[in-house]
Structures are given as structure tokens and as C-alpha cells.
Amino acid sequence: MVQERQAQGKGVYWSLRLWSAAMVSFLLLSACFVLSCVVTYRFVMDKPYTRLSELHTYHSSLSCFSEGTWVSEKVWGCCPSHWKSFGSSCYHISTDKNIWNISEQKCIKMGAHLVVINTEAEQSFIIQQLNTSITYFLGLSDPQGNNKWQWIDNTPCSQNVRFWHLDEPNLPEERCASVVHWGTGWGWNDVFCESKYNSICEMKKTYL
């Protein structure tokens, strides 16, 4: 009888230990899950605000526009004030003339780069913002002068998105591209990188 009670006691004891261990494991897993969710949420939510903080180091004010909804939340796209908004990018048209390298450096100082044109719609939008009497640098160059034009982000110039004026580019010494209005309208032209022109900067929008 005593032995049976001792055996039952041991059984209850081990059952309690197993139950306690299971509960502790469950609580630890729950805590880890909650923590991972918090960290992931903070990482996702902090990204746009980190970007906004970076933009505020270059620009005193930003303009944000409602751009529909993603899932069930309204989405806002933000550009620096006085920049033009199109698609997922913001554009700045310079008012001063510089050589190509200096133009790119000025864009970088504003958190941007010389414009990269990816579609006909983007080209059409940009030329609507320009002065027909001014030439503007693009973020397009031919570093080796071998007609291998590439954008500032190192992507090659697509055959499907080329808006060169007739018979351009035509000189291997002219290794930078510009957009300029001639009698036939707007188009790209190869120019000397050391020439001084206006320029167009582009940056990605920040979404909230």
C-alpha cells in the first residue's frame, strides 16, 4: 500500500514537472514570437521615417500626397517641396549650369542622382517641365567613348527606351548625354562632359 502511494506520488511529481516544463517552453516561445513581431514591425515602420530623417538633412520641408491605398491603409508619397512628383520618383530641375560631374555631385548632396529615364511616359513628363531654350544633363554617359551608353546607376541604356535626336550620338569625344529641344522637338544629344549645362535630379519617393 505504501509502495503504491509512493509510486502514485512519484507519478504526480513527474507529471507536474513535465507540465511545468511544457508551460515554461510555451511561454518562452510566445515571448520570442512577440519579440520577433515587435522587431519586424519596428524595422518595417522605421524605414520610411529613417528616410524622412535623411531627407530633412537636405531639405527644409516635404510635400506628401495621397496615392491610394495598400491593403486597407492610405498611402502617402513624399517629395521635397518644389520637386516634381511622377510615378515613384521626385524630380528637381536645376537653375544653374555646371559640368556633368559637378551636376551629379550636387544631386548627391540633395539625396538624389542625375535623372535615369526608364519609360516613354517618364520622358514625356520630364520634358513638360523644361525650358525649350535650355539644355539639361541626363544621368547617361559613355565613359569609354565606345558607344556603350550607361545610366548613372550602371544600367545599360535600353534599346527600347532611347530618345536620341536624328543621327545622335555622333562623336566619341562627346561622352555625356543631354536632353535638348531642337526644331523637331525634344530629344537626347551627346555633349562634352566638361560643357556647362543645367541638369535634372531624381530621387525615389518616400512612402508612409
Side-chain angles (χ1 to χ4, degrees):
M1 192 69 155
V2 173
Q3 289 180 344
E4 287 181 2
R5 289 181 178 177
Q6 288 178 342
Q8 289 177 352
K10 288 182 179 180
V12 172
Y13 171 75
W14 283 108
S15 296
L16 288 173
R17 289 201 62 178
L18 288 172
W19 184 83
S20 298
M23 285 300 297
V24 170
S25 298
F26 175 76
L27 291 172
L28 286 173
L29 286 172
S30 299
C32 290
F33 175 75
V34 171
L35 182 60
S36 67
C37 288
V38 170
V39 170
T40 302
Y41 175 80
R42 287 298 303 275
F43 175 75
V44 171
M45 294 303 294
D46 282 351
K47 285 180 70 177
Y49 292 103
T50 299
R51 174 64 176 152
L52 284 176
S53 178
E54 291 172 351
L55 286 179
H56 275 300
T57 64
Y58 308 111
H59 310 282
S60 58
S61 61
L62 301 173
S63 297
C64 296
F65 312 89
S66 174
E67 300 201 350
T69 58
W70 288 352
V71 189
S72 60
E73 297 182 1
K74 183 174 288 187
V75 177
W76 297 83
C78 299
C79 288
S81 295
H82 309 301
W83 285 52
K84 306 294 183 180
S85 169
F86 178 78
S88 59
S89 294
C90 313
Y91 302 87
H92 170 73
I93 315 300
S94 74
T95 56
D96 58 337
K97 296 181 178 181
N98 289 288
I99 65 174
W100 193 87
N101 284 337
I102 297 299
S103 297
E104 169 63 5
Q105 290 174 19
K106 284 181 170 288
C107 288
I108 290 173
K109 287 181 179 178
M110 293 188 289
H113 55 74
L114 282 171
V115 66
V116 174
I117 298 176
N118 296 300
T119 65
E120 184 175 354
E122 186 177 17
Q123 165 86 358
S124 297
F125 169 80
I126 289 170
I127 61 178
Q128 291 174 23
Q129 319 303 320
L130 307 181
N131 186 322
T132 56
S133 63
I134 296 176
T135 299
Y136 302 84
F137 275 129
L138 303 174
L140 183 63
S141 65
D142 177 20
Q144 306 303 320
N146 55 5
N147 204 33
K148 292 185 178 179
W149 293 85
Q150 64 183 37
W151 292 105
I152 197 71
D153 59 3
N154 293 321
T155 58
C157 183
S158 170
Q159 294 292 331
N160 298 325
V161 187
R162 296 168 69 94
F163 304 102
W164 295 104
H165 277 296
L166 184 65
D167 298 327
E168 302 294 343
N170 62 348
L171 290 176
E173 295 81 15
E174 295 180 328
R175 301 183 179 184
C176 288
S178 66
V179 60
V180 58
H181 189 278
W182 289 349
T184 55
W186 286 99
W188 300 351
N189 178 39
D190 56 338
V191 295
F192 292 105
C193 299
E194 294 75 23
S195 299
K196 290 187 176 181
Y197 295 115
N198 291 59
S199 58
I200 308 163
C201 297
E202 177 185 3
M203 70 166 65
K204 290 297 181 184
K205 284 182 185 174
T206 294
Y207 290 98
L208 300 177

